Amino acid sequence: MTGDPEVRLALVLDELKELSFVAHRDLCAALPAMAPHGAETIALWAETGRDLFFYDREAGKAFLRASPGLVRELGAADIWIEQARDFLAIRGAWKALIAYLDGLAAAVRELGVEGGRRWGAIGIAWGRGSPENAEVFFQAPISSLTAGRGFAGLSEILEPLAAARDRGLAPALALNGAIKVRTLLGPGAIDGWLKRGADILKSGRLRGEAYFRMEGPDSDEALMAVLPGFRSAEHERFLVLIAHAAFSLTPSLAPRGLSVDGPAFVETDGRTLFVPPAFPTREHALAALLHHAGHLRFGTYDAEVLARLFAQAGMTHPPLDADQRVTWRPLFAAFGEDLVRFQVLFDLCEDFRVDARIQALMPNHVERLMALATTRPEGPAAAYFDLGRESLSVLAGREVAVAPWAALLARDADLVTSFVAAQSLYREGRFPALGLADRDAAYLPGRSPNQGRPVYPRPAAPAEIPEPDGGAVAEAPEPTPTRPAPLSAGHDPDTPIPPEDTSGSGGRVGAGRPQPHIVSARVRRLRPAGAGLPYPEWDYREQVYRRDWTRVIERPLMERDAACAEHLLARHARVLGRLRRAIQAEKPRRMAPRKRQHEGEELDLDATVAYVVDRRAGASPAPLVFRKRRPLVRDTAVLLLADLSTSIMQQAADGVGRVVDRIKAALLLFAVSLEEVGDPYAIAGFASKYRDAVSYYPIKDFDERFTSKQAAIVGGLSGRLATRMGAAIRHACMRLTDSGTERRLLLILSDGRPADYDDGGDERYLHEDTRMAVKEAADQGVHAFCITLDPAGAPYLERIFGRGHFLVVDTLDALPARLPQIYLKLRKAG
């Protein structure tokens, strides 16, 4: 760039003023922040903003709006101006540029100015292969890339990815998974994980993508094969027997899943112990299992004690969620910003009480805990860790039991006693403030947060411990929820529900092509009862219904993409116009008479004659002698159920876009069309991973309007998991009863055959169950109709739905228009 800088700046301002009010406004707003950098830099910056705006409006706006913040954070401007210009040579890289601008300041703080420049150069080099590569690289938090070790940590990720790239593997596909593998298993495991993933990718694109997202059995098996430590699944029977021998208690164990968020914590909902896939050692596993089984045995979650605890906190009864579980957040709300500090003190007191009871039965229990508690954490967590070790010394007889420990050793001590003791410790004020980031380190090995999940109140245990060879303590009956409640995840169950915690590949490669699976009952554990709503499933081999065999869990969809929805509606504006004209023809015009009214447009002849006769006979009839006309409205409700399995993420057959984009457009046009018609309707999606985890995603209910919120949810749809269609149909029929209409229509939009991970490779099994679900729907007065995108779907769909009750959409581009048209025809036929 040459010439007088002030002239160049003036030219840019004039040019943008003529062409774009937004760009001119943003440049003028950012200009004062650039003043310290000299005329030449300012001119180059303004020209870069203009060029990026012409390259892509979003890129230009992002650059100009980010400039004041970057000047404030970095001081220097040459790095990001020069590197922003490099994006002009990469077609379609505006999202990568936005991610670069968002992450540059953090990269400079972590790596220094020259390190930040090098970080940007690496991402731009990735983008020359594909803009998606650069976008994923820049979106990865720099702290995750470096693991706190600067470029040495970054090289642990980049070197194996570079080798995989030479083998044809896109870095964008594997980067985030590689970071997780390093966190879980160390840098040495990355190369082997990438090589196995490349082989799986060759066998099927969708299956490979699911592997690299760390979803589905392939990735789980690859990680579990090299997972270090004492593996829970392999020793599950041993752990349960230990709990039974100690307490005559047989807890149900369920996997927590691989986690990169903290230590190997055990959690419970009062019925089930959720264990990590592996503990560091066998001793750690025994300590944790006995400690948490002890909480179940010694009254931490007893119903009567919980009631007294919340009364102590000033609440008339424990707060319950939709599944009748006690939620903990209101108990700690009074402590405000000190919530975490009090929670950890409360846990320390209750852990001491329970470990004292366990020690009375198993004299080596405290010694095991003390042997594990060797690594003292740094920061504020250290004071709580020391308090925990002090409590163990008291139990081991090495220190005198003073307050608050003395009160917790009493025979009648319970959870309320621990709460009072924690309040006493809290008032002392000698423990530092503690945040969530430091909380996990405050717990001794083998212990965990006791309020990690909402809990089912337990019946009181017997006063005496039975002999170890006695029978197991009977568990309380499990209530069946009237409506499934969304599951939460993580340590704080009262926070908003995060995106899906399930994962999988969808069980197929391409539309309607099931992939055989290896089913291992040894490592597969059911989701705890009470999660979701149970439904039967038809087993054609035994010719019987399996009672409560599946569970449907309603989950909210967290992803939103309003821009995508707006783009799709604009793209299909002509189709929508034609539909609206057709809908106007469908709107009821014929007027139906309502007879025997107090007022109306005309006399009701029969009613008038009857009225005159009754009057002359001496009676006093009501003067209901008019007829009122009203529009004739069909009493019809429809629920559109969309298959959201992984296969919808594949490329469309015509090579333009993906299947999911056509499905989104179809749902949007369907919703807009039915808003015009005025019929009650609902939209939902479904997917599954195993029989106990069939996810049902409400998008719009019958009593809601289709607003920008629902449109954004549709715009953010993506594929996940597999297609257990029978359970989804049964649940949708239950939801259709909410419509309150006589005629009910269930439209199912799918791209393939029913399949799931645990079908054992038997295609017919879920086909037959779906066929029976369709028959059950008909018995309930629900007309089920399937629209499929699978060109080979006619043979199996005729068996499932019957002739005339399904339609194969041969041309994917026709789907957005066909879906509303099909509904209007079915509605009219009814």
Side-chain angles (χ1 to χ4, degrees):
M1 305 290 180
T2 59
D4 183 273
E6 294 184 1
V7 174
R8 289 159 52 196
L9 175 61
L11 287 173
V12 172
L13 286 168
D14 290 342
E15 192 172 3
L16 290 181
K17 188 174 183 180
E18 289 294 327
L19 295 176
S20 172
F21 167 79
V22 173
H24 182 267
R25 179 197 62 194
D26 290 346
L27 191 146
C28 291
L31 193 55
M34 300 298 299
H37 293 282
E40 180 63 34
T41 299
I42 293 173
L44 180 60
W45 166 78
E47 289 164 343
T48 302
R50 175 201 60 194
D51 295 344
L52 286 169
F53 193 83
F54 292 158
Y55 163 79
D56 185 280
R57 291 174 58 89
E58 296 300 323
K61 288 190 292 185
F63 175 81
L64 294 172
R65 292 172 183 177
S67 296
L70 290 172
V71 170
R72 185 170 56 254
E73 289 276 349
L74 307 181
D78 58 320
I79 297 176
W80 49 275
I81 294 175
E82 292 169 9
Q83 292 192 328
R85 295 197 66 82
D86 291 337
F87 285 88
L88 294 170
I90 305 173
R91 184 177 180 183
W94 64 273
K95 290 184 179 179
L97 172 62
I98 293 174
Y100 163 79
L101 295 170
D102 290 341
L104 179 59
V108 170
R109 285 194 297 270
E110 181 93 7
L111 303 170
V113 174
E114 287 307 311
R117 185 192 297 273
R118 186 177 167 191
W119 167 83
I122 292 170
I124 291 168
W126 277 32
R128 294 191 181 102
S130 166
E132 185 182 6
N133 290 335
E135 180 186 351
V136 171
F137 177 82
F138 288 128
Q139 284 177 343
I142 189 66
S143 58
S144 298
L145 287 170
T146 64
R149 296 191 296 277
F151 272 98
L154 188 57
S155 296
E156 294 172 351
I157 297 291
L158 296 182
E159 289 176 4
L161 282 175
R165 187 175 185 178
D166 294 339
R167 296 192 293 267
L169 180 63
L173 188 60
L175 175 62
N176 290 320
I179 293 171
K180 292 179 181 179
V181 170
R182 179 181 62 182
T183 305
L184 289 166
L185 309 177
I190 296 176
D191 191 56
W193 178 77
L194 289 170
K195 288 179 179 177
R196 178 165 181 174
D199 293 338
I200 292 174
L201 190 64
K202 291 176 183 177
S203 69
R205 178 83 185 162
L206 295 176
R207 186 180 168 201
E209 289 177 352
Y211 173 90
F212 286 113
R213 290 195 303 268
M214 300 186 77
E215 299 174 348
D218 291 323
S219 186
D220 290 347
E221 290 170 11
L223 293 174
M224 292 298 293
V226 293
L227 186 66
F230 186 84
R231 301 182 190 174
S232 307
E234 296 177 4
H235 302 284
E236 179 181 327
R237 180 172 172 77
F238 167 71
L239 294 174
V240 172
L241 286 174
I242 289 294
H244 181 69
F247 310 122
S248 292
L249 180 73
T250 308
S252 172
L253 302 188
R256 273 188 56 202
L258 287 168
S259 172
V260 299
D261 298 328
F265 278 165
V266 176
E267 296 178 342
T268 184
D269 64 356
R271 292 178 179 168
T272 301
L273 295 181
F274 298 91
V275 297
F279 292 93
T281 64
R282 178 178 180 274
E283 287 297 293
H284 193 125
L286 288 174
L289 191 283
L290 289 170
H291 175 80
H292 290 281
H295 276 286
L296 297 180
R297 175 60 187 84
F298 295 119
T300 299
Y301 307 110
D302 284 359
E304 184 269 333
V305 177
L306 288 173
R308 287 195 289 107
L309 172 66
F310 280 87
Q312 176 80 16
M315 284 169 267
T316 54
H317 56 78
L320 301 177
D321 66 8
D323 280 336
Q324 302 302 301
R325 298 175 299 183
V326 174
T327 57
W328 298 98
R329 177 58 71 90
L331 186 68
F332 305 120
F335 295 90
E337 295 181 355
D338 266 352
L339 181 152
V340 177
R341 172 161 50 175
F342 179 79
Q343 179 185 349
V344 174
L345 291 173
F346 183 28
D347 283 344
L348 281 166
C349 294
E350 179 64 4
D351 287 345
F352 174 85
R353 184 190 73 83
V354 169
D355 284 332
R357 302 291 298 273
I358 299 173
Q359 179 73 0
L361 292 174
M362 305 185 68
N364 65 335
H365 175 65
V366 169
E367 292 296 332
R368 176 180 284 119
L369 289 174
M370 294 183 73
L372 294 172
T374 56
T375 305
R376 185 176 184 266
E378 297 179 356
Y384 300 88
F385 192 88
D386 291 342
L387 182 65
R389 286 201 297 198
E390 174 191 317
S391 71
L392 292 181
S393 295
V394 171
L395 292 177
R398 301 175 187 176
E399 295 187 21
V400 178
V402 295
W405 312 126
L408 295 169
L409 292 174
R411 289 182 59 86
D412 59 348
D414 57 17
L415 186 65
V416 178
T417 312
S418 298
F419 186 77
V420 173
Q423 289 177 312
S424 174
L425 288 171
Y426 175 79
R427 285 192 294 268
E428 290 180 12
R430 60 188 175 97
F431 295 97
L434 194 67
L436 282 174
D438 300 307
R439 183 192 66 170
D440 290 354
Y443 291 89
L444 302 183
R447 293 179 173 179
S448 308
N450 298 327
Q451 305 89 21
R453 297 169 183 258
V455 296
Y456 295 100
R458 295 174 60 83
E464 299 295 332
I465 300 290
E467 293 297 320
D469 58 350
V473 176
E475 297 291 331
E478 298 168 355
T480 301
T482 57
R483 176 78 78 217
L487 289 183
S488 62
H491 295 313
D492 187 355
D494 296 313
T495 56
I497 300 170
E500 312 307 330
D501 59 357
T502 55
S503 56
S505 65
R508 45 191 150 136
V509 178
R513 303 291 298 173
Q515 184 125 350
H517 306 287
I518 299 173
V519 180
S520 174
R522 183 172 63 87
V523 299
R524 170 67 185 147
R525 295 288 297 175
L526 283 181
R527 190 175 295 273
L533 198 64
Y535 289 97
E537 189 166 84
W538 175 253
D539 188 340
Y540 79 94
R541 296 161 297 198
E542 302 292 335
Q543 292 292 297
V544 296
Y545 274 106
R546 295 183 172 187
R547 184 173 177 270
D548 294 347
W549 189 247
T550 62
R551 284 190 176 269
V552 178
I553 305 165
E554 288 199 5
R555 304 177 186 274
L557 286 165
M558 294 299 182
E559 299 86 351
R560 304 284 192 275
D561 194 339
C564 176
E566 292 174 5
H567 169 73
L568 290 172
L569 284 172
R571 178 181 173 186
H572 295 276
R574 287 188 177 182
V575 175
L576 185 57
R578 293 197 301 269
L579 283 171
R580 280 179 166 147
R581 288 192 292 274
I583 288 165
Q584 293 301 321
E586 285 293 320
K587 284 188 174 180
R589 290 192 176 90
R590 183 166 60 86
M591 306 296 285
R594 180 179 293 173
K595 299 181 178 181
R596 296 183 179 274
Q597 302 295 306
H598 278 287
E599 56 184 18
E601 297 85 3
E602 57 189 7
L603 286 173
D604 181 343
L605 186 58
D606 292 337
T608 301
V609 170
Y611 175 77
V612 172
V613 170
D614 290 343
R615 290 277 298 195
R616 289 186 176 180
S620 300
L624 305 176
V625 295
F626 293 97
R627 290 203 306 177
K628 181 186 295 184
R629 292 190 173 271
R630 60 181 178 86
L632 178 62
V633 179
R634 298 180 180 89
D635 192 20
T636 303
V638 59
L639 192 155
L640 177 57
L641 185 63
D643 172 8
L644 299 184
S645 59
T646 308
S647 53
I648 67 172
M649 301 304 292
Q650 68 181 329
Q651 201 72 10
D654 57 12
V656 180
R658 300 169 301 172
V659 173
V660 68
D661 297 323
R662 316 297 169 82
I663 291 176
K664 291 178 186 178
L667 295 180
L668 288 168
L669 266 62
F670 174 84
V672 174
S673 299
L674 263 73
E675 290 290 322
E676 292 275 340
V677 172
D679 288 348
Y681 72 100
I683 303 174
F686 76 96
S688 65
K689 184 181 182 184
Y690 304 112
R691 62 184 176 89
D692 63 325
V694 182
S695 297
Y696 182 94
Y697 305 101
I699 298 173
K700 178 202 171 294
D701 287 330
F702 290 105
D703 57 353
E704 293 179 327
R705 297 280 298 173
F706 190 78
T707 64
S708 56
K709 173 186 174 183
Q710 283 82 12
I713 294 174
V714 173
L717 289 179
S718 61
R720 62 202 73 197
L721 312 176
T723 314
R724 206 176 200 99
M725 192 178 290
I729 289 175
R730 292 182 178 97
H731 188 72
C733 289
M734 186 272 290
R735 294 302 302 264
L736 267 166
T737 61
D738 296 342
S739 67
T741 58
E742 294 183 5
R743 294 188 64 246
R744 288 165 287 171
L745 176 61
L746 175 61
L747 275 181
I748 302 159
L749 178 58
S750 178
D751 71 322
R753 65 180 73 239
D756 206 345
Y757 299 101
D758 54 358
D759 60 10
D762 183 353
E763 286 185 4
R764 187 181 170 191
Y765 176 76
L766 289 180
H767 286 202
E768 291 295 322
D769 174 63
T770 306
R771 184 173 66 87
M772 294 299 287
V774 171
K775 291 179 66 176
E776 295 163 27
D779 292 341
Q780 298 173 46
V782 176
H783 177 196
F785 189 95
C786 183
I787 304 166
T788 185
L789 306 177
D790 183 3
Y796 66 82
L797 287 176
E798 182 170 345
R799 173 163 179 78
I800 292 174
F801 289 92
R803 184 174 298 178
H805 297 280
F806 70 93
L807 179 69
V808 178
V809 178
D810 297 321
T811 306
L812 195 58
D813 255 343
L815 176 64
R818 293 296 302 277
L819 180 59
Q821 292 171 347
I822 291 166
Y823 169 70
L824 291 173
K825 289 182 179 179
L826 291 171
R827 174 181 178 271
K828 188 174 182 179

